[in-house]
Amino acid sequence: MADETKKIGKFFREVKAEMKKVIWPTKKDVVVYTEAVLVVMILFTVLIFVADTVFTYLLKLIIKG
């Protein structure tokens, strides 16, 4: 039991040491990354909408004819 407690304590000390090494993004970076993600999401949404519309139209032509 004591051995497990030492292992848990060591784990948390190591986690704390690793977290000090992390380089956190600035607020400006987070805003830029968020904007980039939103733009890409909008572009893909439009692309999927257009593809879906085209394929639906083509499928209706095939079924009708």
Side-chain angles (χ1 to χ4, degrees):
M1 184 74 173
D3 189 42
E4 290 177 16
T5 304
K6 287 181 183 179
K7 287 181 181 178
I8 292 171
K10 180 182 175 189
F11 171 77
F12 283 109
R13 283 191 301 277
E14 290 175 356
V15 167
K16 185 178 178 182
E18 289 298 319
M19 291 301 286
K20 288 181 180 180
K21 296 177 186 177
V22 174
I23 299 172
W24 297 99
T26 64
K27 182 178 179 180
K28 181 181 176 186
D29 288 340
V30 172
V31 169
V32 169
Y33 299 153
T34 302
E35 289 172 351
V37 168
L38 291 174
V39 168
V40 170
M41 283 177 37
I42 290 168
L43 290 175
F44 272 99
T45 301
V46 170
L47 177 69
I48 291 170
F49 173 76
V50 169
D52 182 54
T53 303
V54 169
F55 287 132
T56 301
Y57 176 75
L58 291 174
L59 188 59
K60 285 181 182 179
L61 285 177
I62 292 170
I63 292 174
K64 193 187 279 187

